[in-house]
Amino acid sequence: GKMNIQEMDQRYIANTYARFPVTLVSGKGSILTDEAGKEYIDLAGGIAVNTFGIADEQWQKAVTDQLSRLQHTSNLYYTEPCVKLAELLCERTGMKNVFFSNSGAEANECAIKAARKYAADQKGKDCFTIITLNGSFHGRTITTLAATGQDSFHHDFTPLTPGFVYVEANDSADLIQKITKNNVAAILFEVVQGEGGVNRLTEKFVKQMQEIALEQDILLIADEVQIGNGRSGKLYGYMNYDIQPDIVTTAKGLGGGLPIGATLFGEKTADVLTPGLHGSTFGGNPVCCAGALNILSRIDEKLLKEVREKSEYIRSQLEGASGIKSITGLGLMLGLETVKDASAIISDCLEKGVLILKAKEKIRLLPPLNITMEELDKAIMTIKEVCAQ
């Protein structure tokens, strides 16, 4: 007989994902449909990618219009979509210019290269150490794995790129000690650690990083791959902390479903990368940028207010509910510490038509930012019911 999609996947695709036993075929907004026609409310958002859900009409139109004009040129020529997107990113953040790539890991690679070059130019070749935080996640390339402050990701792939030192998140004494002991070029951090368990940094610690960075001309690099692009309730997560990073990296939700990464440079770092020092064949691709431009232009104050309200609503429903120990995170990037095993909860929710994710031992919620209150309410009631003791 003919193999089905799941059997073919197991035969032909590298076995790197423990997939759920669901074959998705279509969707609309926050509703996904599998091959049997069963519907699911999506609180995973393609891991924080589908900012406006599935098959969003405005986004589709922006992408298909561009697709019918010019799908790719290479960066040897000028094209409009990436320029307009860069302009909008700079206007909305106060950053000075942008390098485009295809993913969060690539955006972080670019930031690391720029930070090393800046420090070498300013302080000499032996200033290259980058501080990252325990529990962080910055990507799966050899260098961004080295930047990731979690041993479990490291051991099979050594030797990793040297030059990374890990500090305990929210531990000011540890931060000061490691900065004193090392010749530090930059501090790379996520204001909410996604893969690490949806844990947010304290106001005090973030302010302290900024203070030390300004004092010692250490670059501050905000990794906004998962928390960025409206998910926190502000355009970028760092904006909840009233700081100004020197470099901001982002990806995921920026493209609304197509691959795009962006590294934003501030005053200090805007002129570090010169012709020939960095590049990307697909970076700034017209189709991805047209989609991203549409997404970014729609993440306005009205939407951000809705994100904050939905976040409050989820918290009000789940805080202190039976079987839920704590809620962490910001905006529509939330982590639930549950009494029951998280994997069991995910399976039960899947069965009942709600898609949720894991982060460490927690449930992780990353719904599309424009999920309707009706769909959100239904999904949260399901989670509540499944978690209850």
Side-chain angles (χ1 to χ4, degrees), residues 73-91:
T73 63
S74 95
N75 286 302
L76 297 171
Y77 310 97
Y78 292 97
T79 55
E80 189 181 287
C82 72
V83 176
K84 289 227 157 126
L85 178 58
E87 178 189 34
L88 190 56
L89 281 165
C90 290
E91 279 174 359

Side-chain angles (χ1 to χ4, degrees), residues 6-7 16 41 115-116 120-121 130 162 165 172 185 205 211 218 240 243 248-249 262 278 312 314 347-348 380 386 389:
Q6 293 181 22
E7 288 163 346
T16 59
I41 301 173
R116 291 243 167 116
D121 291 349
I130 293 175
V165 167
S172 302
F205 185 74
E211 244 165 70
I218 290 169
N240 292 277
I243 58 162
V248 175
T249 63
H278 199 49
E312 274 312 300
I314 296 171
S347 302
D348 289 352
I380 293 302
V386 168
Q389 283 300 85

